[in-house]
Amino acid sequence: MERRIHEKCAHMLKDTTNTTWVGFIGIDEFLVLRQHDHVVDFLQEYCPQGSITFNWLMFGSSNHTFYRNFPVTQRFQYRVDEVNPHIKSLVKLEDMDFHHSSFTRGELAVHNFKLHPGKTQKDTNGKVFEGPWNENGPIDVVALYHFFTRSKSEFNTKACVLGQVKGTKPHCKLRFVWCHA
C-alpha cells in the first residue's frame, strides 16, 4: 500500500508541477546535510540523474520512559554506532519508471524506486547498486537520522496501537529494549 501511495504522489507531481526531485521521508526521519547548506545544492552535485541514497542512523530511547514536549532532536541525543543498511533515496522525477514494479517485493521496496534504463541509484561515494540495502553506506555527506524507538511509551503507542500504513503491527511483538544509544 505504501508503495502505491508513493507512486501515485510522484505521478501527480510529475503531471501537475515542475518538480525536479522527489523523496519520501518519514515523520520520524530527518535528512542531515553535512557538506551543504541547502538540499538543492546537494542534489545538483550528487544527483544529476537517477537517484541518490542515504542510510539510516538509528537513534534510541536515551533512557526516556515517557513523552516530553520537546523536539525529538533535543530529547534523543544518542544513536547506535553502526550505520543501518536500510536506505532511502531522493529521485530525479523524470527518471522514475512508473511502468515497472520495484527492484524487490515486499515492504522494504518502498525505500527505493525503479528507474528508466540507463539511470542509476547510487550513494554519495558513487557506488551504484540496486535494492533497498547499502551495507556500510557513507554518512559523511548526508545521512538520515531515524528516531524509530523514542521513549518507551511512544514506542508502545507506535508499535501496538498505531501500527503501519497497511494496518499491521509487526513491531508490537518486539520487546522494548532500553537503548542508551
Side-chain angles (χ1 to χ4, degrees):
M1 176 188 273
E2 191 173 355
R3 159 67 63 191
R4 287 191 308 250
I5 292 168
H6 290 175
E7 288 177 349
K8 184 174 183 178
C9 179
H11 221 309
M12 181 201 64
L13 288 170
K14 185 177 181 188
D15 292 344
T16 61
T17 69
N18 65 351
T19 302
T20 305
W21 293 280
V22 66
F24 298 96
I25 311 293
I27 62 170
D28 59 352
E29 300 170 336
F30 294 81
L31 188 66
V32 177
L33 301 173
R34 298 185 169 178
Q35 296 181 12
H36 299 82
D37 291 328
H38 303 284
V39 72
V40 171
D41 297 333
F42 161 72
L43 289 166
Q44 287 174 338
E45 182 175 344
Y46 285 93
C47 190
Q49 62 86 29
S51 67
I52 190 73
T53 66
F54 29 87
N55 287 71
W56 278 342
L57 292 178
M58 304 295 283
F59 283 76
S61 69
S62 299
N63 286 325
H64 293 291
T65 304
F66 298 103
Y67 170 81
R68 289 181 27 216
N69 191 19
F70 292 101
V72 293
T73 55
Q74 291 177 10
R75 292 189 291 148
F76 308 107
Q77 296 289 306
Y78 305 105
R79 71 170 178 85
V80 176
D81 290 335
E82 296 80 24
V83 174
N84 189 290
H86 290 90
I87 60 99
K88 288 213 173 171
S89 58
L90 291 169
V91 184
K92 193 131 191 203
L93 198 52
E94 66 187 23
D95 294 340
M96 279 183 74
D97 187 344
F98 293 99
H99 303 293
H100 295 93
S101 61
S102 61
F103 293 118
T104 59
R105 298 195 187 280
E107 177 185 339
L108 294 175
V110 301
H111 295 180
N112 67 300
F113 300 91
K114 181 70 175 164
L115 302 170
H116 290 299
K119 304 300 179 180
T120 58
Q121 168 182 283
K122 62 182 180 177
D123 65 22
T124 56
N125 284 342
K127 175 184 168 186
V128 175
F129 65 98
E130 292 185 355
W133 308 96
N134 188 16
E135 292 288 336
N136 302 311
I139 58 169
D140 58 327
V141 176
V142 64
L144 193 66
Y145 286 12
H146 190 186
F147 295 89
F148 178 78
T149 308
R150 295 187 298 256
S151 69
K152 184 176 183 178
S153 64
E154 290 170 280
F155 177 79
N156 287 335
T157 298
K158 175 182 177 178
C160 300
V161 177
L162 300 176
Q164 295 183 325
V165 171
K166 61 185 175 183
T168 61
K169 299 175 184 173
H171 297 110
C172 187
K173 295 178 183 171
L174 296 177
R175 184 174 64 86
F176 180 81
V177 176
W178 284 108
C179 185
H180 303 288

